[in-house]
Amino acid sequence: MVSVLGTPNAEGFLFRSATVDDMSFVITLWKACHLLRPWNDPADDIRFCLQSPASELLLAVKGDQIVGSIMMGNDGHRGWVYYLGVSPAWRRGGIARALMAQAEQWMCERGVPKMHAMIRRDNLEVRSFYIALGYADDDVLVVEKFLNLSLIHI
């Protein structure tokens, strides 16, 4: 994927789809961004995303360095974003906004009418980021159930 015309873009950054060869670099980025949880194997998440036609892992690259990522997917009715992260050294430069704009464009190209992001309740800085982009709190509670306890890496 290339940058979309009119999309916020930090100078000199390339946006491209991830490949399996990027996996270790992406996981290192996610660790630096505190995006990992012990019950999710990030390598499994990346492999699943890369194999699905309804998802994509987009990277922000400066030179040969991966400095940001966003995972996106859709179920045909709504889109979801995950693993939005920017390397701490590259924050506050518009990369996260540009990644979100790319994700919104990706959803629009597929006819997805709305997009969601799950934010941990205590992550106020990220909540403010999404509000500044025009996202709003929804009156929905997300519930979950682990279906295969053997896959949980706690």
Side-chain angles (χ1 to χ4, degrees):
M1 176 182 278
V2 295
S3 298
V4 178
L5 187 61
T7 297
N9 192 353
E11 189 70 30
F13 288 86
L14 170 71
F15 297 93
R16 67 169 176 83
S17 298
T19 68
V20 70
D21 295 333
D22 297 313
M23 189 175 305
S24 64
F25 302 106
V26 171
I27 292 171
T28 298
L29 171 70
W30 291 353
K31 285 178 184 174
C33 295
H34 307 288
L35 296 175
L36 301 182
R37 294 298 178 258
W39 53 87
N40 285 346
D41 181 337
D44 286 346
D45 287 351
I46 292 169
R47 276 190 291 273
F48 188 80
C49 174
L50 295 179
Q51 293 171 0
S52 172
S55 62
E56 185 168 354
L57 176 56
L58 185 67
L59 305 177
V61 180
K62 178 76 168 181
D64 61 354
Q65 184 181 9
I66 294 171
V67 298
S69 77
I70 189 167
M71 184 181 287
M72 53 207 140
N74 80 87
D75 59 17
H77 174 66
R78 67 186 58 83
W80 290 90
V81 292
Y82 311 90
Y83 291 113
L84 172 61
V86 174
S87 173
W90 291 95
R91 290 188 180 155
R92 306 273 182 220
I95 299 168
R97 283 179 177 271
L99 284 165
M100 283 298 295
Q102 295 279 337
E104 290 174 3
Q105 181 66 34
W106 188 90
M107 299 294 174
C108 288
E109 289 170 358
R110 286 154 182 80
V112 179
K114 64 179 177 173
M115 197 161 91
H116 297 265
M118 285 188 274
I119 304 167
R120 290 187 179 84
R121 204 176 302 270
D122 62 347
N123 197 340
L124 299 179
E125 183 179 7
V126 168
R127 185 169 174 267
S128 296
F129 167 78
Y130 282 107
I131 289 171
L133 293 181
Y135 290 78
D137 290 343
D138 197 356
D139 191 22
V140 174
L141 176 65
V142 175
V143 296
E144 66 180 16
K145 178 181 180 181
F146 291 102
L147 300 176
N148 188 343
L149 297 178
S150 68
L151 297 177
I152 300 172
H153 306 280
I154 296 180

